[in-house]
Amino acid sequence: MDPKIRLLVADSNTRWTKTIQEYLRDNQEIELVGVYTDGGSACSAIEELKPDVVIVNMILPIVDGLGVIENINNNLHNKPYTICVSSVQNEFMIKQAFTLGVMYFASLPIEIHILIGSALRIGRLPTFSRRAQRYPEGLQLGRLHRRG
């Protein structure tokens, strides 16, 4: 059996993060290593805990989602894969996220099984991909998921 994927969540919506925690409570494939409600704490925790995948909301206090991703790119040699979520849909923000190396961008609200399924698939990708800071222009490794 493969080792568990180490997941860190950065989202200020405590109701949503509790839903994620409950969903993953008995999961045999993903270990939730931390939940953080602000980008500053998330940045420190990502450096310390070294997760495989980070789910980050674009709208966070202290350091926003793009700032968290920039911190990962600038400060970590072995970069975790990143998944962005947001209830705000701004074309510039989405393009910037993909330019910074985000693997998946999801519009909130999203079904929990879709988000966690994406984290599982992305977490199983070869680790050499994590070292890339940018992906070639036009390479779409993620997708915008719209519900309904």
Side-chain angles (χ1 to χ4, degrees):
M1 183 173 180
D2 291 328
K4 284 188 172 188
I5 293 167
R6 296 171 48 78
L7 174 68
L8 184 140
V9 176
D11 197 308
S12 59
N13 182 333
T14 54
R15 209 163 81 186
W16 175 239
T17 57
K18 285 182 186 195
T19 299
I20 293 172
Q21 289 171 310
E22 289 172 14
Y23 187 85
L24 292 174
R25 181 170 291 133
D26 297 320
N27 191 292
Q28 298 299 310
E29 297 178 284
I30 297 177
E31 174 188 3
L32 184 62
V33 297
V35 174
Y36 298 87
T37 57
D38 70 82
S41 298
C43 287
S44 298
I46 292 165
E47 290 179 28
E48 180 183 331
L49 298 173
K50 299 176 181 21
D52 300 308
V53 178
V54 174
I55 296 174
V56 61
N57 193 315
M58 296 304 286
I59 310 300
L60 288 171
I62 302 176
V63 177
D64 69 6
L66 291 175
V68 171
I69 299 162
E70 287 174 344
N71 185 72
I72 289 169
N73 287 342
N74 294 333
N75 296 317
L76 297 178
H77 177 69
N78 290 321
K79 296 165 183 33
Y81 293 121
T82 51
I83 295 172
C84 287
V85 296
S86 182
S87 58
V88 176
Q89 300 309 306
N90 174 289
E91 187 176 338
F92 173 79
M93 181 175 64
I94 294 168
K95 285 182 180 179
Q96 187 66 24
F98 281 116
T99 298
L100 291 171
V102 166
M103 298 294 287
Y104 182 83
F105 194 104
S107 175
L108 294 175
I110 185 172
E111 299 281 338
I112 187 76
H113 69 277
I114 292 172
L115 181 62
I116 298 304
S118 296
L120 185 60
R121 284 188 301 279
I122 289 168
R124 295 276 182 241
L125 291 172
T127 56
F128 70 85
S129 298
R130 293 186 189 146
R131 293 192 177 96
Q133 288 192 15
R134 292 182 58 142
Y135 294 98
E137 190 66 35
L139 179 61
Q140 294 295 320
L141 296 175
R143 66 186 175 99
L144 178 63
H145 176 79
R146 292 187 192 268
R147 185 175 165 192

